[in-house]
Amino acid sequence: MAESAIKSEKSVSQLRCIGCGRTALPDRFRCEHCRDLLEIIYPGWKESGPGGLDSASLKQLWRDRRSSLDPSDQSGVWRFREILPDISQQQVITIREGNTPVYELPHCAKSAGVRHLYAKHQGMNPTGSFKDTGMTVAASFARQAGYRWVACASTGNTSASMAAYAARGGLHSLVLMPDGKISWSKLSQSLDYGAITCQLKTDFDGCVRVLNEVVERMPVYLLNSVNPYRVEGQKTAAFELLEQLGWEPADHIIVPGGNLANSSAIGKALREMKQLGFISRLPKVSVIQAEGANPLVRTIRETGGEKLVPVHADTMATAIRIGNPASWKKALRVIRETEGTVEQVSEIEIALAKAEIGAEGIGCEPASAVTLAGLKKLVKQGFVRPNESIVLVLTGHLMKDADFTLKFHRGDLFTGTPYEQESHALKPQQRAPLVLEPSVEAVIQLLRSAEK
Ligand code: F0G
């Protein structure tokens, strides 16, 4: 690793083990003593605040950067650079990620039984998922540290994002994806962006196992979400959300859970915002998993959070088809600290929620829709009250998994599955394409009958 990278790292941030608290070198992923994950800390903040500024000055500075023409200022990640590791401006790889919208979802609110409901749409990032916010930081670090190769195991979104940032930054990239049960659109992205893409005959957890050994033996920088720089970038989504809410915390933030880095990142951001005086209370962060990929839910329910319960994961929400989540301890800490909770939702509940979000003109991929499905359950349980403010984090764009959407509307998503019978209840949400003769009369007749 280049000497300059080590030096600049030391001056602003440090890597610290979440287990034993020992510090680690800037390009490590696990503690050499206890093998726990690492997180980035900023020792200088205690004395003088990020960048030597107080929270009021930072709020102003970050807002002002939105009108700047500088690429780093135009990035919704790097405009928050005071709360990020120090990466030299020349090394920053940005595709103008972040700056994603918050939408109100009145119909989904009604269906969940709450007064107001908002969605922070991270699928509006350059490659269509929240992964870009973390990737810009970790890929830039890789370049600054002198790596030529980056790699990840992925259910599709991380790989799409990594391939894009590597291409923009002049790095080579290697992708390991499961062979089958992934979305073709995500696979096509990493091909187009020039990654060497391998489909391994295993699932996501199997891909991670192989890659972990590859990076031990080759000079390849790992860009999976155990990478602490990715977590730092993903943190900015929560800073940006709070900025969009006028720095008034929502009561609840609801996120999907896969490898559990995103919930960890959002929680870390909230913790830092409270410490730095940006906000005075923490929103409750709740994590929703698919029933078929529910290791965190089981870990909490069956062991009280003492020991990870890995599962053999299966869900049509392929982005979160993960049974052995790396960041479970970090996510657990966030749930405890913010007094959030975990919930699991069925395949049918996911499909219904996705269609309801889509019907508001705000498409998302199935993994994102678990948030609405989970919210409905949390309202029924009384954990979320109807007058509270709630933000769903939508993690991926509708176009990420067009196959799922098409099959849903054609009514064959669940054909041949154990949910076939139950899926008949989804008929009112389905709008299959209508094939007509090319006649004006036929179209007008259709319009008339649709009006009735
Ligand atoms: N939503 C989407 C759209 C995702 O792609 C992922 C993870 C998650 C939610 C879960 O986030 O892992 O931080 O808890 N996708 C990974 C990938 C694993 O390889 O693209 P998490």
Side-chain angles (χ1 to χ4, degrees):
M1 196 169 83
E3 189 66 14
S4 62
I6 298 173
K7 271 201 203 117
S8 65
E9 263 317 290
K10 273 198 180 143
S11 60
V12 175
S13 60
Q14 272 178 6
L15 261 61
R16 184 180 65 186
C17 171
I18 62 163
C20 69
R22 286 186 174 95
T23 52
L25 288 171
D27 67 345
R28 300 296 141 89
F29 307 103
R30 286 192 181 269
C31 174
E32 284 181 3
H33 302 275
C34 68
R35 304 304 299 157
D36 244 329
L37 291 185
L38 302 171
E39 66 177 354
I40 292 184
I41 54 160
Y42 301 86
W45 285 7
K46 268 203 201 100
E47 271 165 39
S48 51
L53 297 169
D54 63 16
S55 61
S57 314
L58 286 167
K59 285 177 188 176
Q60 185 66 43
L61 176 65
W62 293 340
R63 207 173 25 236
D64 290 348
R65 282 184 182 147
R66 295 197 80 147
S67 54
S68 156
L69 297 178
D70 181 276
S72 288
D73 291 346
Q74 288 184 348
S75 158
V77 171
W78 294 102
R79 75 186 174 91
F80 296 101
R81 53 188 169 268
E82 286 72 20
I83 50 111
L84 296 175
D86 190 23
I87 301 219
S88 95
Q89 291 272 325
Q90 294 78 28
Q91 299 297 347
V92 165
I93 309 167
T94 172
I95 323 182
R96 314 302 185 273
E97 50 291 318
N99 292 325
T100 59
V102 173
Y103 298 118
E104 186 161 12
L105 300 176
H107 298 289
C108 294
K110 212 166 164 197
S111 138
V114 295
R115 257 176 238 140
H116 296 284
L117 179 60
Y118 296 89
K120 169 90 174 143
H121 203 337
Q122 291 292 89
M124 305 299 267
N125 268 294
T127 76
S129 86
F130 73 101
K131 306 287 182 180
D132 295 342
T133 55
M135 205 53 77
T136 181
V137 177
S140 302
F141 173 79
R143 186 159 80 163
Q144 171 161 291
Y147 283 95
R148 293 183 54 237
W149 277 89
V150 289
C152 72
S154 179
T155 56
N157 280 329
T158 299
S159 44
S161 183
M162 181 191 74
Y165 282 85
R168 299 296 300 166
L171 301 168
H172 301 289
S173 64
L174 169 73
V175 167
L176 303 188
M177 280 171 105
D179 178 31
K181 300 214 177 168
I182 51 149
S183 132
W184 297 116
S185 14
K186 296 176 190 177
L187 175 65
S188 68
Q189 283 182 289
S190 68
L191 300 177
D192 219 37
Y193 301 145
I196 294 187
T197 306
C198 311
Q199 289 196 271
L200 302 193
K201 293 182 177 149
T202 176
D203 56 10
F204 171 80
D205 301 299
C207 291
V208 170
R209 276 193 296 275
V210 173
L211 187 62
N212 283 344
E213 276 209 30
V214 173
V215 298
E216 291 273 311
R217 291 165 54 179
M218 301 293 289
V220 174
Y221 188 59
L222 181 68
L223 285 179
N224 266 39
S225 62
V226 293
N227 184 307
Y229 296 89
R230 278 196 46 207
V231 172
E232 292 306 290
Q234 285 175 211
K235 225 173 58 174
T236 59
F239 276 86
E240 186 176 271
L241 169 65
L242 265 292
E243 182 187 59
Q244 287 163 311
L245 299 177
W247 301 102
E248 184 54 47
D251 295 309
H252 294 274
I253 298 180
I254 303 188
V255 286
N259 219 10
L260 299 173
N262 202 27
S263 36
S264 309
I266 287 171
K268 186 171 192 281
L270 296 171
R271 188 184 305 139
E272 291 178 356
M273 275 186 258
K274 186 145 178 273
Q275 278 162 5
L276 295 169
F278 282 85
I279 53 173
S280 54
R281 67 184 172 87
L282 293 173
K284 293 185 166 90
V285 178
S286 295
V287 178
I288 314 296
Q289 297 195 299
E291 268 175 17
N294 60 353
L296 185 67
V297 175
R298 292 193 55 184
T299 296
I300 291 179
R301 294 192 182 158
E302 293 169 25
T303 78
E306 287 302 303
K307 200 171 169 293
L308 179 68
V309 181
V311 303
H312 182 78
D314 202 12
T315 169
M316 285 186 194
T318 52
I320 51 172
R321 195 167 162 266
I322 296 171
N324 192 9
S327 298
W328 70 276
K329 281 190 193 164
K330 288 185 180 180
L332 190 68
R333 179 177 167 205
V334 168
I335 292 165
R336 286 184 174 152
E337 208 169 281
T338 67
E339 299 176 7
T341 189
V342 282
E343 194 42 88
Q344 57 183 354
V345 292
S346 73
E347 299 292 294
I348 299 279
E349 287 166 335
I350 296 171
L352 174 62
K354 192 184 110 52
E356 287 175 331
I357 295 168
E360 296 233 36
I362 307 294
C364 67
E365 68 166 289
S368 307
V370 301
T371 53
L372 176 61
L375 171 66
K376 291 183 193 176
K377 288 190 147 173
L378 299 183
V379 173
K380 281 206 185 97
Q381 292 159 11
F383 183 80
V384 174
R385 290 194 296 275
N387 57 352
E388 288 185 305
S389 55
I390 308 142
V391 179
L392 308 179
V393 179
L394 302 181
T395 45
H397 198 277
L398 168 79
M399 299 309 287
K400 282 286 192 173
D401 197 348
D403 249 16
F404 182 104
T405 309
L406 267 177
K407 282 187 183 150
F408 175 88
H409 287 291
R410 288 190 169 135
D412 50 16
L413 185 62
F414 292 102
T415 307
T417 74
Y419 315 105
E420 194 163 346
Q421 194 63 30
E422 210 186 325
S423 73
H424 295 275
L426 298 170
K427 282 240 159 65
Q429 265 73 34
Q430 289 163 354
R431 278 169 290 276
L434 305 165
V435 180
L436 294 182
E437 291 306 320
S439 111
V440 176
E441 271 317 303
V443 177
I444 289 178
Q445 207 179 344
L446 189 74
L447 272 179
R448 290 211 171 106
S449 62
E451 267 182 356
K452 277 181 202 150

